[in-house]
Amino acid sequence: MIEQLQSKTGIIVAAHRGYSAEYPENTLLAFQKAVDLGVDMIEFDLRLSKDNVVVIIHDDTVDRTTNGTGMVNDFTLKELKELDAGEGEKIPTLEEFCESLQPYAELLFNVEIKPCDQAIEVADRTVELLKKYDFLDRCVFTSFDAEVITHLHDKYNVKTQGFPGEKMLHYIPGEDGTISKIWAIGMSMKLLNPELVQSYKAKGKLAWCYCPDDMEQVKYALDCGVTLLTCNDLLPALKYIKK
């Protein structure tokens, strides 16, 4: 299913950590609210708990997004579940995410593996779980670590999103390097310009961006030629595209 993005002529709107502009990021509430608005894709971030459960959280600590303090991988799942991730929401597991979104057969997923010592293990456990739910062909896998991208590409032959080389860890330059493992390139609004977009398209890569969160940014991104917008605030992109 994810391969349709190669030939699809429309613009794809992805929810960055769910509808994170209005609801606690990377929670089941934020994901459901994004689906309710009609997004095409959900983007989310994965790490491991102390007892090796794949959980959805962006930072390597719980400090910013919960009422707790400390490294994510120093907490067991039970301990993570005791934290408040905002509005009474809990840090979800990947399995809970899959259960929650199973009814939405057309929904696509951007699965980000955060750089860390356990990133390859996170990637392997994630693929195994997504296979169990028959989600794998609906996913693009993202990482700022080129070694994770290469591992996912070579071992599982899945679609990957990378970033401009200067933004990635362990990036190998050259046509046969990291770029050969990448299907789509994600560009921040700070880097985005028409020349950069065209340079990646000329290499056969899909050109995506993050995070255009107002109408002016959405218009600029589309004028640059991107085909996928990963947004915190979903309303400007959805309104602009509908218009």
Side-chain angles (χ1 to χ4, degrees):
M1 262 180 70
I2 199 73
E3 291 180 354
Q4 68 180 292
L5 300 189
Q6 193 108 38
S7 55
K8 201 174 174 77
T9 53
I11 302 301
I12 297 294
V13 177
H16 190 229
R17 311 176 200 168
Y19 189 5
S20 56
E22 294 292 332
Y23 300 94
E25 68 175 56
N26 276 328
T27 62
L28 295 182
L29 175 64
F31 299 139
Q32 185 61 54
K33 293 296 184 180
V35 171
D36 292 345
L37 280 180
V39 298
D40 307 290
M41 177 184 277
I42 301 284
E43 187 270 354
F44 56 96
D45 309 283
L46 298 177
R47 295 184 179 275
L48 278 185
S49 67
K50 185 178 182 179
D51 46 351
N52 295 322
V53 179
V54 182
V55 294
I56 302 180
I57 188 169
H58 181 274
D59 300 358
D60 59 357
T61 75
V62 299
D63 299 37
R64 180 179 63 85
T65 56
T66 79
N67 62 341
T69 303
M71 301 294 291
V72 173
N73 61 12
D74 284 339
F75 289 81
T76 64
L77 178 61
K78 182 176 182 296
E79 290 166 340
L80 288 173
K81 287 294 188 183
E82 291 169 356
L83 303 178
D84 185 344
E87 298 185 27
E89 289 292 300
K90 302 300 182 184
I91 297 171
T93 65
L94 177 57
E95 185 140 28
E96 288 168 339
F97 174 91
C98 293
E99 288 284 348
S100 174
L101 295 177
Q102 236 182 343
Y104 305 99
E106 301 300 313
L107 194 61
L108 302 175
F109 305 109
N110 187 332
V111 184
E112 183 165 348
I113 310 294
K114 304 307 293 183
C116 65
D117 293 342
Q118 308 152 302
I120 298 298
E121 183 181 356
V122 177
D124 289 338
R125 288 176 178 271
T126 297
V127 170
E128 182 182 352
L129 194 53
L130 291 169
K131 277 183 179 177
K132 172 184 168 183
Y133 284 89
D134 201 24
F135 279 9
L136 206 55
D137 69 343
R138 295 157 64 179
C139 296
V140 59
F141 289 83
T142 295
S143 186
F144 281 91
D145 187 338
E147 290 182 352
V148 175
I149 292 288
T150 297
H151 175 75
L152 285 161
H153 177 278
D154 291 353
K155 184 171 182 178
Y156 300 109
N157 193 32
V158 292
K159 301 301 185 191
T160 61
Q161 178 191 221
F163 302 92
E166 66 271 20
K167 296 294 182 182
M168 297 190 73
L169 299 170
H170 308 120
Y171 187 88
I172 299 172
E175 288 184 13
D176 297 325
T178 300
I179 193 73
S180 68
K181 314 292 184 180
I182 291 173
W183 185 57
I185 301 286
M187 289 162 275
S188 70
M189 291 305 296
K190 290 180 181 178
L191 284 183
L192 189 66
N193 62 66
E195 295 74 27
L196 188 60
V197 169
Q198 291 310 312
S199 72
Y200 284 122
K201 285 187 172 182
K203 295 174 182 174
K205 309 302 174 184
L206 297 179
W208 299 352
C209 78
Y210 64 96
C211 303
D213 288 328
D214 61 40
M215 203 66 86
E216 185 179 339
Q217 290 177 324
V218 168
K219 184 178 186 309
Y220 176 74
L222 296 177
D223 287 346
C224 286
V226 303
T227 56
L228 185 147
L229 309 170
T230 300
C231 308
N232 299 300
D233 189 348
L234 300 166
L235 294 182
L238 291 171
K239 285 178 181 176
Y240 188 88
I241 290 164
K242 190 174 182 181
K243 182 179 71 175

